[in-house]
Amino acid sequence: MNERREIKINVPVLARVEGEGALDLHIRDGRIEHLKFSIGEPPRLFEKFLEGRDAFEVPDMVARICGICPVAYQMSAVQALESLFGWRSTPWIEAMRRAMYCGEWIQSHSLHIHLLAAPDFFGYSSAPEMARDYPDEVRRGLRLQSLGNELIRLFGARSVHPVGARLGGFHSAPPKDRVIRLLDRLRAALPDAENLVAWTASVDVPQDQQDFVSVALRHPSEYPLYSGRIVSDTGLDIPVDRYEDHFREHQEAHSTALYSLLDGRSYLVGPLARLNLNWDRLPEPVRSTLAKTGIPFPSRNMFHSMLARAVEIHFAIVEAIRLLENYEPDIPFVSGECRARSGFGCTEAPRGLLWHRYDVGESGKILKARIVPPTSQNQARIAEDLHRSIEAFGLDRADDELRLHGEKVIRNYDPCISCATHFLKLKVIRE
């Protein structure tokens, strides 16, 4: 084995759907001397765009923040603004919002598992390359993603940047015949979802046990999606309006995205954190499917995130069936008077906790907005994981092996990385 005293790996571009990132790794004398994971996209200023706009404009505007999970931004926004106004949604509106959100989980998780993550673990450079040997698995992923998009479209009029949601509910109620047809597709997808859980559990992932803090919503009786209290596995249990008492964002010089810490410590949000904290809230059919894998939860292995996403796809299909099987159109929205104060909302985006705060004036205009997305909350955890996982992988590995492992670690968090498999451009300087 050739001795390498000093290696510098510079990854200038991490292409993402929403922006760009980079990784700098400096190894000296068999130790990581410097590791820096950064996000370098220009600030998008969405929170400033919202200032001065009418509160009723916010749901359509925030949907443009993300093309993969626009529903999450809409649901956190309407929750915050309706709490501010003192509006109370009907049980029908709450159930249909939850059903729409299920569609987003299905399509987002399926995209990640089949097109982004799986090629890493099977030794392929892309999903099309993997499809030559695993055509049925890739087709399954496309079927599930299509199903999720159709569920979003049912309520949102379109699946990308949907426009059907509004303050107070929805602009219209879907006709019953469309819901019945979609229910048939949901029921037909159950075998795909069950097989996906078994398939992801069978993937040979690294056994990399780590110490991290899981943070997610927790609901008294449901698997968290649209509502709940913010909890952690270290004892945190707060309402969403107390978020700023415990979570602090700060700027790092090398990144335009803010880092977030919980009482001074990095933490994990997303499917693995949700499942770690809420596996007992899964409906019985989903718990049974998970139990058959033999993989216990809570899990300290970050690479069980792919399995957690598969479990949540199964859950979302089961939940959507439950919510829609006795569907009848109802009054699609409620209304009330605007009130000047601050409102808070928090839901579970596919990638994790999504927290919103809005300050609204007497005229109903937004005075100030604050949005904390899951990817920025995971940024400090990703940096820690890269350091720990690359060391465990072996610093004496070839440069290309280190690069590929770094890709696998980052992609495992699903941080809105683009569909291009080769998202790391590697430059190695040997000294």
Side-chain angles (χ1 to χ4, degrees), residues 116-130:
L116 296 180
D120 283 340
F121 297 103
F122 287 90
Y124 297 97
S125 62
S126 68
E129 182 183 328
M130 191 179 88

Side-chain angles (χ1 to χ4, degrees), residues 54-76:
D54 190 277
F56 284 88
E57 297 180 84
V58 170
D60 285 341
M61 293 184 70
V62 297
R64 271 64 175 180
I65 292 175
C66 182
I68 304 298
C69 44
V71 176
Y73 284 90
Q74 290 182 318
M75 294 299 106
S76 289

Side-chain angles (χ1 to χ4, degrees), residues 5-275:
R5 293 183 56 80
E6 185 170 17
I7 301 172
K8 291 182 179 180
I9 298 178
N10 171 242
V11 182
V13 177
L14 287 162
R16 299 193 305 123
V17 170
E18 270 80 29
E20 299 178 355
L23 173 65
D24 290 311
L25 174 63
H26 187 180
I27 301 169
R28 184 195 295 271
D29 297 329
R31 294 185 306 104
I32 294 178
E33 184 174 83
H34 171 79
L35 188 153
K36 185 168 62 178
F37 171 63
S38 59
I39 294 176
E41 68 169 284
R44 299 177 71 204
L45 306 175
F46 260 95
E47 290 152 314
K48 296 300 289 184
F49 293 159
L50 295 172
E51 292 181 9
R53 308 305 293 245
D54 190 277
F56 284 88
E57 297 180 84
V58 170
D60 285 341
M61 293 184 70
V62 297
R64 271 64 175 180
I65 292 175
C66 182
I68 304 298
C69 44
V71 176
Y73 284 90
Q74 290 182 318
M75 294 299 106
S76 289
V78 298
Q79 187 186 103
L81 291 167
E82 289 170 7
S83 73
L84 186 155
F85 298 153
W87 298 4
R88 292 198 175 275
S89 299
T90 65
W92 185 91
I93 292 170
E94 296 280 320
M96 295 308 104
R97 283 176 170 172
R98 191 169 171 87
M100 185 182 185
Y101 219 146
C102 285
E104 184 156 278
W105 277 23
I106 296 167
Q107 66 86 11
S108 178
H109 284 346
S110 184
L111 167 67
H112 176 77
I113 292 171
H114 295 90
L115 302 184
L116 296 180
D120 283 340
F121 297 103
F122 287 90
Y124 297 97
S125 62
S126 68
E129 182 183 328
M130 191 179 88
R132 291 199 294 265
D133 296 323
Y134 294 89
D136 294 339
E137 288 78 4
V138 174
R139 289 193 185 101
R140 175 188 60 206
L142 295 176
R143 283 196 303 271
L144 288 169
Q145 187 180 8
S146 172
L147 175 64
N149 283 333
E150 186 59 30
L151 185 50
I152 297 172
R153 192 177 296 115
L154 177 70
F155 297 98
R158 61 193 189 199
S159 59
V160 179
H161 307 321
V163 293
R166 54 158 287 172
L167 289 188
F170 297 93
H171 287 289
S172 63
K176 188 172 181 178
D177 62 328
R178 282 190 64 194
V179 175
I180 291 172
R181 290 196 297 270
L182 186 53
L183 269 170
D184 290 340
R185 287 191 64 185
L186 287 163
R187 293 187 180 108
L190 283 171
D192 273 348
E194 293 165 2
N195 291 335
L196 178 59
V197 173
W199 185 69
T200 54
S202 71
V203 174
D204 184 18
V205 300
Q207 297 304 307
D208 186 9
Q209 302 293 315
Q210 296 190 30
D211 179 33
F212 55 85
V213 177
S214 294
V215 174
L217 292 181
R218 184 163 173 85
H219 188 276
S221 58
E222 300 174 334
Y223 193 80
L225 197 159
Y226 178 72
S227 60
R229 293 170 64 85
I230 301 173
V231 304
S232 76
D233 53 9
T234 55
L236 183 74
D237 186 351
I238 58 172
V240 299
D241 60 1
R242 294 285 305 280
Y243 178 90
E244 292 171 301
D245 294 344
H246 295 270
F247 295 85
R248 292 282 187 274
E249 288 184 297
H250 67 277
Q251 185 76 56
E252 294 281 351
H254 60 268
S255 181
T256 59
L258 296 176
Y259 279 63
S260 183
L261 300 177
L262 166 60
D263 295 329
R265 184 178 177 184
S266 71
Y267 59 98
L268 174 72
V269 299
L272 182 59
R274 279 192 296 263
L275 193 55

